[in-house]
Amino acid sequence: MIQVTPVPAFTDNYIWLISNEAAQQVAIVDPGDAAPVLAALERLQMQPIAILITHHHRDHVGGIEKLLEAFPNLAVYGPVNENIPHLTQPLGDGATVALESLGLTFSVMELPGHTVGHIVYYGEGSLFCGDTLFANGCGRVFGSTLTDLYHSLQRIASLPAETQVYCTHEYTVDNIGFAKWVEPDNTTLDTRMEECWELLDAGHPTVPFELGREFDTNPFLRTHIPEVIAKAEEIAGRETHTPEDVFAVLRIWKDTEYD
């Protein structure tokens, strides 16, 4: 059975360690900083076997070199369409990552939007999605397009509702704040905010989260909901014609007015 351990990094990043109940081995997801990973490996007495990268941003790849200095034989998986130093296993849409010593297998989805070549890893009831989908939010667009990001989120939305989503930032409370701008009368957001503060006050992350809950609270997955459409049209000062149009209005609004 899959086990996932969060390793906090920088101010709000999470690096994920994937293991199972039987093996003292781990795969490392998006190590932006080597130091906390090395400390966690020593504390847990774990041996790394691979690094899984979702995209090229420094806070996701910055620790690769030092990890390879400590563990020279690590395989480094990552997106074929991005320039990532030390990559040994370039991956595109439909590829498979078999971590045989862990007994775990993941399929790769190429989901442009946050970056042009962003990939995610899906398997074992879990999605490691980098900066594409966040709890109650989604990533910004860097070098790609809003259209790409919208369609990438729709692909994620088609996964089973019980999927556990492992994003890489602690943005949940902030994202709920924006969602309340969009849907001030959505009481489910209030409940979720309370749950998040209970977790944070107890020293726990607010992620992972169950994908199905996002359909009740994440405005970027609710662009077909009348209240969300109405808010987008109020902000844009015009009619919107498609859910993709609503999405674009909301993402631009968040970029310019909220963040």
Side-chain angles (χ1 to χ4, degrees):
M1 181 180 295
I2 189 171
Q3 293 186 328
V4 184
T5 302
V7 177
F10 307 117
T11 58
D12 54 34
N13 280 65
Y14 292 118
I15 300 164
W16 300 107
L17 303 183
I18 305 174
S19 59
N20 66 23
E21 292 179 337
Q24 290 295 106
Q25 297 177 314
V26 294
I28 307 164
V29 182
D30 283 346
D33 186 2
V37 175
L38 292 169
L41 293 173
E42 183 175 1
R43 183 179 72 253
L44 299 169
Q45 292 296 291
M46 291 286 196
Q47 180 74 21
I49 60 166
I51 296 172
L52 309 182
I53 300 296
T54 61
H55 65 291
H56 71 274
H57 285 165
R58 183 68 180 171
D59 63 325
H60 293 253
V61 304
I64 295 176
E65 185 170 355
K66 287 188 177 180
L67 287 171
L68 289 176
E69 290 176 3
F71 305 98
N73 297 321
L74 289 180
V76 182
Y77 297 83
V80 66
N81 290 318
E82 296 201 355
N83 182 19
I84 297 174
H86 310 295
L87 196 67
T88 63
Q89 306 289 331
L91 304 170
D93 197 62
T96 298
V97 175
L99 304 175
E100 294 180 0
S101 62
L102 297 179
L104 303 175
T105 300
F106 297 93
S107 60
V108 174
M109 300 166 66
E110 194 165 355
L111 298 182
H114 179 63
T115 64
V116 173
H118 199 298
I119 64 173
V120 304
Y121 301 86
Y122 172 67
E124 314 297 332
S126 302
L127 177 72
F128 296 88
C129 66
D131 289 354
T132 299
L133 176 69
F134 296 126
N136 292 278
C138 68
R140 287 175 175 263
V141 172
F142 293 100
S144 191
T145 68
L146 290 167
T147 294
D148 283 340
L149 184 56
Y150 172 79
H151 289 290
S152 291
L153 291 173
Q154 292 304 301
R155 286 190 69 186
I156 290 177
S158 71
L159 297 174
E162 63 271 18
T163 299
Q164 292 294 302
V165 181
Y166 295 85
C167 63
T168 49
H169 287 280
E170 184 58 74
Y171 289 164
T172 311
V173 166
D174 186 69
N175 285 340
I176 292 173
F178 176 73
K180 285 292 289 184
W181 277 20
V182 179
E183 292 187 271
D185 297 326
N186 185 342
T187 58
T188 306
L189 287 166
D190 300 323
T191 300
R192 196 157 181 191
M193 182 71 92
E194 292 175 5
E195 293 172 357
C196 286
W197 278 118
E198 287 177 4
L199 287 168
L200 293 171
D201 288 344
H204 301 303
T206 64
V207 293
F209 54 93
E210 189 175 84
L211 177 60
R213 297 194 71 190
E214 294 300 292
F215 303 129
D216 296 324
T217 58
N218 190 327
F220 299 108
L221 297 181
R222 290 172 57 80
T223 55
H224 59 292
I225 301 297
E227 291 81 359
V228 177
I229 294 170
K231 177 56 71 171
E233 293 182 341
E234 175 190 331
I235 295 305
R238 60 172 177 81
E239 290 187 2
T240 56
H241 302 289
T242 64
E244 182 181 333
D245 190 11
V246 173
F247 170 82
V249 170
L250 296 180
R251 184 63 260 186
I252 293 169
W253 185 33
K254 190 172 193 295
D255 290 344
T256 56
E257 299 293 335
Y258 188 82
D259 286 348

